[in-house]
């Protein structure tokens, strides 16, 4: 399971299923049983996140695209990123997404783009990002692969600080 996200709007858990090429929706309001519905996606899904209107963004590693789906699985749009190895996308604002690709270099590891796939800006100080979140203030939290670090990047992508975990907290594979 490479990706999970929870909807605050309708109490669903969404799971990206790499092997089955599906997204599963679990109804968290059902208490006595498990209610799951699923839909097929065009390739192996990786990162998954929610938009402000409750839609789901699914990043596809192998086809370099991001799809936006309604909560029931209807395709809203497919955006070709022209970014190799798209890992995860999060909504920054209406029609702007932040994207992290998988990369072994520090070249443009976090990118903001519009929903047509056009790059707006990039931030290259985080090498090998493994996950991406955005807090309520618009700051990006980027987990760095194999370094025990979380990078907190400001909304304008011009500065960041690093949270280094203590040696006794093992986070060599943060997902």
């Amino acid at each position: 399971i490479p990706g999970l996200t929870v909807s605050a709007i309708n109490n669903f858990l969404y799971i990206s299923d790499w092997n089955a090429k599906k997204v599963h929706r679990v109804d968290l309001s059902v208490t006595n049983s498990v209610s799951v519905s699923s839909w097929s996606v065009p390739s192996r899904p990786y990162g998954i996140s929610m938009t402000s209107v409750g839609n789901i963004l699914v990043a596809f590693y192998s086809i370099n695209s991001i799809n936006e789906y309604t909560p029931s699985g209807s395709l809203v749009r497919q955006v070709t990123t022209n970014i190799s190895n798209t890992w995860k996308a999060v909504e920054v604002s209406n029609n702007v997404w932040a994207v992290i690709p998988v990369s072994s270099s520090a070249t443009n590891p976090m990118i903001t783009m519009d929903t047509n796939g056009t790059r707006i800006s990039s931030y290259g100080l985080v090498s090998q990002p493994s996950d991406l979140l955005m807090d309520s203030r618009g700051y990006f939290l980027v987990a760095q692969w194999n370094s025990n670090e979380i990078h907190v990047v400001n909304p304008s992508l011009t500065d960041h600080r690093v949270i280094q975990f203590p040696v006794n907290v093992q986070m060599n594979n943060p997902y």
Side-chain angles (χ1 to χ4, degrees):
I1 298 175
L4 297 171
T5 192
V6 175
S7 170
I9 297 171
N10 54 24
N11 208 29
F12 290 124
L13 167 67
Y14 295 90
I15 304 165
S16 61
D17 187 336
W18 173 273
N19 290 327
K21 295 183 185 175
K22 290 183 180 228
V23 172
H24 305 290
R25 182 179 79 174
V26 180
D27 187 343
L28 298 176
S29 65
V30 176
T31 57
N32 295 331
S33 63
V34 178
S35 175
V36 179
S37 59
S38 303
W39 67 86
S40 296
V41 293
S43 185
R44 296 182 185 275
Y46 214 89
I48 189 168
S49 65
M50 299 297 300
T51 68
S52 59
V53 296
N55 287 342
I56 301 94
L57 296 179
V58 181
F60 296 98
Y61 176 82
S62 59
I63 60 173
N64 302 329
S65 73
I66 300 162
N67 286 5
E68 181 177 0
Y69 295 95
T70 64
S72 61
S74 297
L75 181 65
V76 174
R77 62 182 147 197
Q78 179 176 12
V79 177
T80 301
T81 64
N82 295 318
I83 300 166
S84 295
N85 306 327
T86 305
W87 193 269
K88 186 168 184 182
V90 297
E91 182 183 55
V92 177
S93 63
N94 191 26
N95 295 321
V96 177
W97 296 340
V99 179
I100 56 170
V102 177
S103 173
S104 60
S105 71
T107 306
N108 299 333
M110 190 172 81
I111 297 149
T112 57
M113 58 181 268
D114 66 22
T115 54
N116 294 316
T118 304
R119 284 185 190 212
I120 297 169
S121 61
S122 61
Y123 192 73
L125 292 179
V126 182
S127 177
Q128 295 181 301
S130 62
D131 204 356
L132 171 67
L133 299 171
M134 191 175 77
D135 72 12
S136 61
R137 303 167 301 150
Y139 282 77
F140 299 99
L141 303 152
V142 184
Q144 186 162 315
W145 180 261
N146 286 337
S147 72
N148 291 357
E149 293 178 351
I150 304 292
H151 291 250
V152 182
V153 182
N154 70 352
S156 61
L157 303 182
T158 57
D159 195 17
H160 82 287
R161 67 184 177 104
V162 176
I163 300 170
Q164 178 72 47
F165 283 91
V167 173
N168 62 348
V169 176
Q170 293 301 312
M171 292 193 52
N172 289 333
N173 290 305
Y175 61 85

